[in-house]
Amino acid sequence: LTSGELLAINLKTLELEVTSFLPASANPELSQFGNLAMYRGMLASLSPQGLVVFEPKLSIEAELQQQLTADPQSAPAAIRKAELELIHRHYPQAREVLQKVRATDLAGDLLQRYRAAVVTTLSALVREDLKTRDKEFEELARLAEQPAELQALEMLRAERLVSRGDWPGAFQVY
């Protein structure tokens, strides 16, 4: 779907069972879903961008549980678990998992994935409760580095000021 939303529908009852979303860091031009089908235990999506194959969620969750049971400090497993939580917009759960990761031990792609997950999580938590998430907003302000992150931070700052009735302050930010 071009919206980045994936819906699972029970074909027997025609009821919506699960709604999932692409991660905020996904490029919408390259991450469009097409026709979906199961093939040899994998979910296959054929779109104009090509064929993409995904592992089923249950097997990913089982694998992550095994990894975290074997090594509760596994940063790759924790980050992947947080990314799964973010796909379902379970921001408090993602935050809980990410807080256990020691960012100083990360490098390369793993560090980028961690940062993206933390920025997405903090932004969503602040946006859900603009008036009281000061600690999360301050942490987000310390993390924001990229131009898009800094711009999003300023927009969030303005939204918070508007929610508090500080129109002159919000105007200054805009």
Side-chain angles (χ1 to χ4, degrees):
L1 302 169
T2 58
S3 68
E5 186 175 22
L6 178 64
L7 307 174
I9 300 170
N10 182 323
L11 294 178
K12 289 182 182 176
T13 64
L14 299 178
E15 292 182 12
L16 179 64
E17 290 192 352
V18 178
T19 302
S20 300
F21 302 87
L22 285 174
S25 60
N27 181 340
E29 296 292 320
L30 302 175
S31 302
Q32 294 181 4
F33 291 119
N35 296 323
L36 298 174
M38 288 295 286
Y39 178 72
R40 295 187 180 181
M42 303 290 275
L43 185 63
S45 170
L46 182 60
S47 73
Q49 286 75 34
L51 179 67
V52 179
V53 180
F54 306 92
E55 288 183 76
K57 180 183 172 207
L58 292 177
S59 68
I60 292 172
E61 289 174 340
E63 178 185 328
L64 286 175
Q65 190 59 46
Q66 285 178 341
Q67 289 174 357
L68 289 170
T69 300
D71 179 8
Q73 302 301 314
S74 171
I79 292 168
R80 193 163 184 206
K81 182 174 176 65
E83 289 169 339
L84 281 178
E85 296 292 359
L86 290 174
I87 287 172
H88 297 286
R89 296 187 176 175
H90 298 159
Y91 303 114
Q93 294 88 335
R95 174 83 170 137
E96 183 178 328
V97 171
L98 290 167
Q99 286 178 318
K100 297 175 184 174
V101 175
R102 291 191 338 210
T104 55
D105 295 344
L106 305 177
D109 179 58
L110 197 57
L111 178 59
Q112 290 177 347
R113 287 176 47 213
Y114 170 78
R115 279 194 79 260
V118 171
V119 167
T120 300
T121 301
L122 291 173
S123 297
L125 288 172
V126 171
R127 187 160 275 115
E128 283 179 353
D129 190 357
L130 292 166
K131 293 181 181 180
T132 63
R133 293 283 190 166
D134 296 333
K135 182 177 136 192
E136 289 84 355
F137 183 80
E138 290 168 12
E139 184 177 349
L140 182 61
R142 286 191 302 275
L143 280 173
E145 295 175 350
Q146 305 299 320
E149 293 171 350
L150 294 168
Q151 183 178 14
L153 177 69
E154 290 306 302
M155 294 298 292
L156 194 54
R157 183 185 316 275
E159 289 175 35
R160 293 183 80 220
L161 291 168
V162 166
S163 76
R164 295 172 177 180
D166 184 355
W167 298 100
F171 183 74
Q172 289 285 27
V173 172
Y174 283 120

